[in-house]
Amino acid sequence: MPEMPEVETIKRVLEPQIKGLMITKVKLRRPEVAAYPANDQFCEMLRGQTISHMARRGKFLTIWLASDDRIILHLRMTGSLLLTPADFPEEKHTHIILGLSDGRELRFSDARRFGRFWFIQKEETDTYSGTEKLGIEPFDTGLTAAYLSEHLGRRKKAVKGCLLDQNIIAGIGNIYSDEILFTAGIYPARPANSLSREEWEHLAAVIPERLSYFIEKNEITPEEYLESKGRDYRNTPFLQVYGHEGRPCPVCGTIFCRIVVGGRSSVYCPACQKEVRLKHTG
């Protein structure tokens, strides 16, 4: 599933190419992919609109139109957004095609069909996509030790599960939560309410640093992005812990272990991320 660094990469690749282009035609092949409004209205309202710019919020992308209407989309598990020449071979499971005024097409494909589009009109309140429920952005100056402690510090839930809560911090997923906790030296299954003030401070610094690092490593040219069908993100060689179960830790050489936290696979170093045995009272 694309996480925040990947969604940011998509924005940076596509936005300069589609700014100022008009949407001349809309093909909608899977009605459920356009979640709002009704399919006919969705297509009719998009035709003739000019693209102003793109934005990202957590794992959501927004295509802003010159009218101040906007298209909000979420790629979910397997979604891919490509800008292609009209004669470019079409991906299997292509569900939406936006024809553009320069002859190219913006295509959305999704094998599992979980991805969704919402068309929100100017001054219309978005009560459909879920973006209004998102928490703070990882790069917001408000992401401090005090913020994390206030929102998570009383929870008995595992700290990894807390990092995945999009209502608290928008954009972190399974991959980067592992990377963040490894760098912070925190055991992923540790209850959030057991973290010290110093650990919250360290975590608040590590979150934006790690995500910035992987956004930088994800950098890709439009040509490379199209050739790879929008799936060849560059971070894989730079991941230190995610997917490295059974390999030695690059810091201390201890073999990485895997556990399941809240139904999600988590890899960690038993030496660098020591499990804290909590004292029970009463």
Side-chain angles (χ1 to χ4, degrees):
M1 178 184 198
E3 297 185 21
M4 190 272 274
E6 287 74 44
V7 177
E8 180 66 22
T9 296
I10 293 168
K11 182 186 93 64
R12 293 185 182 190
V13 168
L14 294 181
E15 182 182 32
Q17 301 184 80
I18 64 175
K19 284 177 65 172
L21 298 180
M22 180 184 291
I23 299 169
T24 57
K25 62 180 180 180
V26 181
K27 293 181 182 178
L28 176 60
R29 293 173 176 165
R30 298 289 310 191
E32 70 272 21
V33 176
Y36 175 82
N39 286 179
D40 289 347
Q41 190 178 9
F42 178 88
C43 296
E44 181 180 346
M45 286 183 162
L46 276 178
R47 292 188 194 98
Q49 296 260 21
T50 298
I51 296 169
S52 169
H53 62 283
M54 290 182 73
R56 179 196 56 75
R57 180 78 170 94
K59 301 176 190 177
F60 289 81
L61 282 170
T62 299
I63 301 174
W64 282 92
L65 305 169
S67 62
D68 284 335
D69 294 341
R70 61 200 187 275
I71 310 161
I72 300 173
L73 63 122
H74 198 301
L75 301 174
R76 299 286 168 82
M77 295 293 292
T78 57
S80 176
L81 195 63
L82 289 179
L83 179 65
T84 74
D87 59 355
F88 193 80
E90 193 172 298
E91 286 292 283
K92 192 177 181 181
H93 308 295
T94 295
H95 306 313
I96 293 181
I97 298 176
L98 304 182
L100 302 176
S101 54
D102 69 348
R104 290 182 293 175
E105 296 179 342
L106 190 62
R107 301 175 181 175
F108 175 73
S109 62
D110 184 6
R112 299 187 69 176
R113 300 199 300 272
F114 292 154
R116 291 292 182 268
F117 281 59
W118 299 267
F119 181 88
I120 309 297
Q121 296 184 72
K122 177 183 179 181
E123 298 179 355
E124 181 180 9
T125 300
D126 174 20
T127 59
Y128 307 97
S129 69
T131 56
E132 78 285 354
K133 298 177 182 178
L134 292 175
I136 198 168
E137 284 286 316
F139 305 121
D140 195 301
T141 56
L143 183 67
T144 62
Y147 175 87
L148 293 176
S149 180
E150 178 185 350
H151 289 83
L152 304 176
R154 296 182 184 89
R155 294 191 181 187
K156 297 179 180 179
K157 186 176 181 179
V159 64
K160 169 156 182 170
C162 290
L163 290 181
L164 299 178
D165 187 342
Q166 302 299 299
N167 296 329
I168 305 299
I169 310 171
I172 300 175
N174 201 42
I175 295 172
Y176 298 109
S177 58
D178 274 4
E179 296 296 318
I180 288 165
L181 290 171
F182 173 67
T183 301
I186 298 172
Y187 178 62
R190 187 171 160 190
N193 63 2
S194 72
L195 269 64
S196 67
R197 173 72 183 188
E198 291 73 20
E199 287 171 318
W200 286 123
E201 288 177 351
H202 193 196
L203 199 54
V206 165
I207 289 170
E209 184 279 324
R210 285 289 81 191
L211 293 174
S212 293
Y213 173 82
F214 285 110
I215 288 172
E216 178 187 341
K217 295 304 180 186
N218 267 345
E219 187 173 353
I220 189 171
T221 68
E223 294 75 20
E224 291 168 332
Y225 180 84
L226 179 58
E227 184 179 356
S228 67
K229 311 297 177 59
R231 297 184 177 92
D232 181 22
Y233 302 110
R234 301 306 174 91
N235 63 25
T236 304
F238 303 98
L239 294 174
Q240 291 186 291
V241 57
Y242 178 82
H244 289 194
E245 176 191 1
R247 301 183 195 177
C249 169
V251 174
C252 71
T254 303
I255 298 302
F256 281 125
C257 295
R258 176 185 173 274
I259 56 173
V260 176
V261 179
R264 308 295 293 273
S265 175
S266 301
V267 179
Y268 72 101
C269 172
C272 296
Q273 299 165 269
K274 288 185 172 66
E275 183 177 358
V276 176
R277 300 292 181 181
L278 303 178
K279 294 181 180 179
H280 295 277
T281 60

